[in-house]
Amino acid sequence: MPEENAASNQAATPGTPAPPVATIATLGRFEGQSVVVRGWLYNLRESGKLLFPIFRDGTGTVQGVAHVKSVPPAVFEALKSLTQESSLVVTGKVRADQRAPGGFELDIEDLEVIQRIPESDPYPITLKEHGVDFLQERRHLWVRTPRQSAILRIRAEIMRAAAEYFDQNGFIRTDPPILTPAACEGTSTLFPVDYFGDPAYLTQSGQLYVEATALALGKVYSFGPTFRAEKSKTRRHLTEFWMVEPEVAFMDLDGLMELAENYLAHIVQSVLRNRAAELKTIGRDTARLEAIVPPFPRLRYDEAARMLNEAHSKGELEQPFTYGNDFGSPDETWLSAQFDRPVMVHRYPAGVKAFYMEPDAADPRYALCVDVLAPEGYGEVIGGSQRVSSLELLNQRIEQHHLPKEAFEWYLDLRRYGSVPHAGFGMGIERVVAWVCALDHVRETIPFPRTLHRMYP
C-alpha cells in the first residue's frame, strides 16, 4: 500500500465504537473524548521526543501533541515525516488547554496520511513573509492560511447577515439579469458582450430591475455579482464584485437612511456575535465595531464640502474641494475618519448624480440621495436615492444623459402605470468586508479578485 494511503495500522478494539468525526471548531463539545479530525498539516514543531503538529481543517487550527512513547512507532514516524499541507486523518483525545489558541489540544493516538507532499516539490507558500504579487499569483493556495481563511469566513457571515435582515423584515429576494441591453449610469464603465449579434453589457447594478419588482411586491432586494469596467488601480476597486440592492415602494429618502443604518448595524453586530474568533485571528480592534449602532450622523453635501475645505486650509488635505464635484477617495477617507460610526452624506448636487434620482422638492438643484461612508477612512459602502417617480421628468433625464430611449421603454412603463415614490440603495459586499476586517486592500475580500490587470487564477 502506498504511503499516502497507509494508516498506522493501529487496530480498534473489537466491539468498540469508532471515535466520532469532529471539526476543529467543535472540539469543545468532545473534551476528554477521542475524535477523528480530517484536514491538513499547517506546521510541525519538534522538541526532543515530542512532536507538536498543527492541523487545519477549514474551520480552524488545533495543535496536536505526540510523545515518542505515547503513540505506536509507525504513527510517530509518519507524523515526523509530514510536510506542510500534507492531507491526513488524525485521531486524538481532546484536552482543554487555556494556552492553546482555541482552548483545546489534541493528544494524538492514530494517523492516516492521505497525501504526503514530497520534499522535492514542497508547498510554495511557507510560513515566511511573501510579497503580495507572489501571493496573488497563488491565491488558490493563499486562501488556506489562517488569516485569509478567517477573512473569508467573516465575508460569509456578512453575506448571511445581509440576506437575513431583509428576509426577517418582509423583503422578497428577486434576482435581476446579469446581461442587460443598457446601463444604469451610462456605458463608459461597462463590459460589452455580443448577445447573438446584438450589443449587451454585463450588469453594473440590478437597480432598474428591482424597481420593477418593488412595484409588484412592495419590498424587495437582489443579491448577486456586478461588474464595473473602470480602469482604476485604487485599493477600493474591483472589476467584479457582489452587490446587495433593496428597493421599497412608498419610501422616501428619510426612510431609506433609517433602513441603511439599521441594516449596517445588523450586519456588524452579527459579525461580532458569530465571528469573534476570526476577528481575533486577523487582529481586528472590535471596540471600533461595537460602536456601530444607530443613529448614524447625517451631513448635507454642502456641510461636507465646507468641512473638506476647512481641512484643506489647515493642511489636513492636499487638494481643496471643488464645490459641485462628487467626492473622490481622499475626500471620502477624510470625512469618514471624522466619526466613530458610518456618516450619511445626503442631497448632492443633482448634476453629479445619476439620471434616476428624484430632485429635492425644496431645492431641485439637489438630488434626494445618500452615500454612507464607513469610519476609519474606508469611504463609501452604500449609495442610494429616492427615485424619480414622474414619467415626464424621467423622459427628460434620459434625453439629457443621451441614453437610448428604446432600451428604457420598459423602465418608463413603471412611471406610466401606477408610479409611486420609491427608494433603494446598493451595498458592495467587498467594501463592507474591507472595513469590517480593517484590510488595506479590497483584493483580500473575495476568494479570487478581478482587478484591472488580474484575471489569474
Side-chain angles (χ1 to χ4, degrees), residues 107-363:
D107 290 329
I108 297 170
E109 299 169 334
D110 199 1
L111 176 74
E112 177 187 355
V113 180
I114 306 300
Q115 183 200 44
R116 180 184 180 277
I117 297 175
E119 294 174 9
S120 59
D121 186 17
Y123 186 69
I125 300 179
T126 63
L127 299 182
K128 69 176 185 179
E129 288 289 325
H130 294 284
V132 171
D133 288 341
F134 177 92
L135 294 170
Q136 285 289 87
E137 285 294 307
R138 295 158 182 82
R139 181 64 174 166
H140 52 296
L141 302 177
W142 189 21
V143 294
R144 299 184 185 185
T145 61
R147 175 180 169 80
Q148 296 302 314
S149 294
I151 291 168
L152 294 185
R153 282 193 285 269
I154 292 169
R155 174 193 171 92
E157 178 63 26
I158 287 170
M159 296 181 82
R160 186 202 65 77
E164 175 186 68
Y165 181 89
F166 292 133
D167 292 340
Q168 291 180 347
N169 285 278
F171 287 72
I172 305 299
R173 179 169 174 166
T174 61
D175 295 318
I178 289 175
L179 291 169
T180 65
C184 282
E185 302 167 15
T187 60
S188 62
T189 60
L190 287 178
F191 289 104
V193 295
D194 184 331
Y195 192 71
F196 303 107
D198 291 326
Y201 304 93
L202 296 180
T203 185
Q204 63 183 0
S205 168
Q207 178 207 312
L208 305 189
Y209 293 94
V210 292
E211 283 189 54
T213 55
L215 297 185
L217 300 169
K219 297 199 295 186
V220 301
Y221 74 102
S222 66
F223 205 160
T226 51
F227 307 85
R228 292 283 174 100
E230 293 174 281
K231 292 185 176 180
S232 174
K233 299 178 183 178
T234 80
R235 63 188 180 91
R236 295 180 181 174
H237 285 87
L238 296 172
T239 56
E240 179 182 340
F241 56 99
W242 281 70
M243 183 93 81
V244 58
E245 297 179 274
E247 197 77 27
V248 185
F250 298 101
M251 177 171 276
D252 60 13
L253 179 62
D254 288 338
L256 186 70
M257 290 195 285
E258 184 178 349
L259 173 65
E261 65 186 359
N262 288 331
Y263 183 58
L264 272 180
H266 172 83
I267 291 171
V268 172
Q269 297 305 316
S270 292
V271 172
L272 284 168
R273 184 169 56 252
N274 299 323
R275 291 297 174 186
E278 285 78 8
L279 292 170
K280 184 176 180 180
T281 295
I282 65 176
R284 182 57 160 124
D285 179 0
T286 54
R288 299 279 191 124
L289 299 178
E290 288 162 4
I292 311 306
V293 292
F296 294 169
R298 289 163 164 75
L299 289 177
R300 285 186 66 104
Y301 171 91
D302 287 3
E303 296 173 86
R306 176 178 50 77
M307 289 172 63
L308 289 169
N309 281 320
E310 287 176 358
H312 170 67
S313 68
K314 295 175 184 176
E316 297 174 20
L317 278 173
E318 226 175 273
Q319 299 292 332
F321 180 71
T322 302
Y323 187 89
N325 285 352
D326 206 346
F327 297 129
S329 290
D331 305 317
E332 291 180 346
T333 296
W334 186 88
L335 282 169
S336 62
Q338 308 312 302
F339 303 92
D340 69 345
R341 65 198 68 193
V343 57
M344 296 177 157
V345 182
H346 59 95
R347 288 174 171 83
Y348 287 65
V352 298
K353 288 299 181 180
F355 75 96
Y356 51 73
M357 294 187 179
E358 184 76 52
D360 189 349
D363 189 341

